[in-house]
Amino acid sequence: MKLAIVAALVSSAAAFAPNAQPSAQTALNAEADRRSFLGAAAAFGAAAIPAAANAKIDYENVGYLGGSSIIDINNANVRAYLRLPGMYPNAAGKIVTHGPYKQVSDLYNIPGLTSGEKEVIKKYESRFTAKEAAPEYVIDRINNGLYR
C-alpha cells in the first residue's frame, strides 16, 4: 500500500514537472520560432499596406482650374470665379451647376440666367474655355470642401 501511494505521488509530481530538453535544442527552437514569427509579421504588414491609387496626377489643363487668367467652365470650381467681379456667386453658381458645355457660347443657354448675369458673362467671355469634362474635377465643381 505504501508503494502504491508513493507511485501515485511520484506520477502526479511528474505530471507538473517541466520537460527537460537540451539547451542547444531550446536555442534552435527559439531561433526557429523567432524566424517564423518575423516572417508572419512581415507577411501581415505587407498585406496591411494598401496599394497606391492610380490617380491622374498630371492633368494637362490644371492651370485652367483657377490658377491662370483663363477658367475652364467644365472643370473649374465655383471659387475660381471669385476673381471676376460680378460673377460670384450667382452667375458662377449657375455655370457650375448646368455643365458640361461644348463651347463657351453655351453659357447663354443656361435656364434662369438674368440679363445682368448675361452681361457679366459677356464681359469675361474671352477668359473662359470649354475643355472636356474630367470626372476627377467635375465632382468638386460646386463644393470643393474649402471652408473659412
Side-chain angles (χ1 to χ4, degrees):
M1 176 88 166
K2 287 183 181 181
L3 186 61
I5 293 176
V6 170
L9 285 176
V10 169
S11 66
S12 13
F16 295 103
N19 292 335
Q21 296 179 354
S23 62
Q25 180 67 23
T26 304
L28 289 176
N29 285 343
E31 185 67 26
D33 288 344
R34 186 178 308 125
R35 283 185 185 161
S36 66
F37 172 75
L38 291 176
F44 177 75
I49 297 173
N54 294 327
K56 189 176 188 180
I57 57 172
D58 291 329
Y59 179 61
E60 62 274 2
N61 297 321
V62 74
Y64 301 125
L65 299 178
S68 71
S69 62
I70 298 176
I71 297 173
D72 179 6
I73 59 175
N74 284 326
N75 296 306
N77 186 273
V78 69
R79 295 177 64 86
Y81 298 92
L82 281 169
R83 295 182 318 213
L84 307 176
M87 287 291 294
Y88 185 85
N90 296 336
K94 290 178 182 176
I95 290 172
V96 298
T97 55
H98 289 90
Y101 307 97
K102 292 185 180 182
Q103 52 196 6
V104 176
S105 61
D106 291 346
L107 293 177
Y108 299 106
N109 300 329
I110 296 174
L113 203 62
T114 66
S115 61
E117 292 166 342
K118 287 182 182 180
E119 289 175 14
V120 171
I121 290 173
K122 182 70 174 167
K123 178 180 176 182
Y124 296 112
E125 186 175 12
S126 64
R127 295 183 65 181
F128 298 142
T129 185
K131 301 292 182 183
E132 186 176 338
E136 299 89 358
Y137 298 104
V138 170
I139 194 168
D140 291 330
R141 286 176 51 200
I142 297 170
N143 180 5
N144 64 353
L146 295 177
Y147 304 103
R148 293 182 195 210

